[in-house]
Amino acid sequence: MSLPTGPQVPVALSTASVYPEPMSAGFDAAAELGYDGVELMVWNEPESRQLRTVARHAERTGMPVLAVHAPCLAITQRVWGADPAERLRRSVVLAAGLGAPIVVLHPPFRWQRRYAAGLARQIDELERAHGVRVAMENMFPLRRGRVRVSSYTPGHDPTVPGARHYTLDLSHTAVAGDDAFALLERMGDRLVHLHLADGTGETHDEHLVPGRGTQPCADVLRRLALTGFDGTVVVEISTRRARTRNERLDALAESLLFARLHLGSRSPRTRA
């Protein structure tokens, strides 16, 4: 197979990928397997919200924080208080303090009307003030049979009405039944971040190891490598069912190898 050539795209590990282990285990796994850094998931775990603690883990492992994922999930709605605008502000401040260039954000929930109305302006002000890009992520509707209901406003696809920067999540395209390449094309050069995972089209978010589902993960990576993508690829898989740490590390190592192979970049270090 002919591999694409071009600038090396960094491959980071989401700290969510080691759940239910703590954030620190994400840094350890990334360092052990040879990732280029981590994406910090701001979570209910207090340490994930503490600049000094996160910075200490980054220094200890040599793994820089390449992105911060804001607490947007339903189960993190009380992290940093009930105000979603404040959660976004604190995520950007944390990212800037860690030297991370990207904050990943989900579209507003439908009930967050005030937040949604002022979101574009807030993002503009935060990006200008802190030099961090806020990348809106594609999500998915809830599905029951043929019924599809979106929890987001104006919908799960952030290209409607549009955003300054985007995160493309390939597990979410599987759940939504969206065409990953069509979404990639709509995002265009505003795509700055990729969540690499797979899915089979189930009604729940699977976050499979890339290559184990139906999404065009390899083709998307090759496209990014060929088009001079200057963002970060983040492995964001679910390993919560792993029976041992070695089983978890094997899945993370397989995902890293998949990413590097199809990006055409160097191979990861071999785990003993």
Side-chain angles (χ1 to χ4, degrees):
M1 179 179 65
S2 177
L3 293 175
T5 60
Q8 180 177 295
V9 177
V11 182
L13 176 66
S14 169
T15 58
S17 295
V18 301
Y19 180 82
E21 291 191 74
M23 172 197 70
S24 59
F27 280 89
D28 292 337
E32 182 174 347
L33 297 173
Y35 278 82
D36 295 308
V38 304
E39 175 179 297
L40 173 69
M41 173 66 81
V42 178
W43 195 245
N44 295 314
E45 180 186 358
E47 282 199 345
S48 71
R49 313 193 290 269
Q50 298 168 358
L51 173 61
R52 291 183 180 179
T53 302
V54 176
R56 186 171 69 248
H57 286 302
E59 182 177 3
R60 175 180 63 82
T61 59
M63 289 287 100
V65 178
L66 300 181
V68 169
H69 197 310
C72 306
L73 300 172
I75 61 175
T76 58
Q77 291 301 291
R78 294 295 173 177
V79 170
W80 284 329
D83 183 0
E86 177 64 8
R87 290 198 295 271
L88 172 57
R89 185 194 70 81
R90 294 186 69 164
S91 298
V92 170
V93 170
L94 178 60
L98 293 167
I102 295 290
V103 168
V104 178
L105 185 68
H106 293 178
F109 287 114
R110 286 196 175 276
W111 57 84
Q112 296 172 328
R113 295 176 183 175
R114 183 176 179 183
Y115 166 59
L119 183 56
R121 180 177 178 180
Q122 184 189 13
I123 289 174
D124 181 67
E125 291 174 350
L126 289 172
E127 288 188 337
R128 291 176 185 273
H130 297 282
V132 173
R133 295 187 288 187
V134 177
M136 194 69 73
E137 184 175 4
N138 61 297
M139 298 303 293
F140 50 87
L142 301 176
R143 291 164 44 200
R144 289 189 177 181
R146 295 183 179 181
V147 177
R148 293 163 57 97
V149 179
S150 178
S151 300
Y152 304 96
T153 183
H156 70 276
D157 180 353
T159 65
V160 181
R164 181 175 293 179
H165 305 296
Y166 296 112
T167 295
L168 175 61
D169 188 301
L170 295 176
S171 178
H172 294 174
T173 56
V175 185
D178 289 338
D179 184 320
F181 263 105
L183 187 55
L184 178 69
E185 291 297 326
R186 292 198 298 276
M187 290 180 171
D189 59 7
R190 296 184 180 186
L191 175 66
V192 297
H193 206 65
L194 177 74
H195 279 166
L196 179 61
D198 215 330
T200 61
E202 293 290 330
T203 57
H204 61 278
D205 198 6
E206 296 173 281
H207 281 281
L208 302 177
V209 170
R212 297 187 185 179
T214 60
Q215 295 305 287
C217 297
D219 291 337
V220 167
L221 290 171
R222 286 194 287 263
R223 173 72 65 86
L224 294 182
L226 287 169
T227 56
F229 177 67
D230 65 352
T232 300
V233 170
V234 174
V235 169
E236 192 188 55
I237 63 169
S238 173
T239 64
R240 68 184 183 276
R241 294 183 179 177
R243 292 165 292 184
T244 65
R245 183 172 186 270
N246 279 342
E247 187 174 322
R248 174 169 289 115
L249 289 177
D250 285 344
L252 300 177
E254 180 181 336
S255 300
L256 177 59
L257 179 61
F258 184 99
R260 292 238 172 96
L261 173 66
H262 295 291
L263 287 168
S265 54
R266 69 181 187 278
S267 297
R269 294 195 296 265
T270 301
R271 183 168 65 87

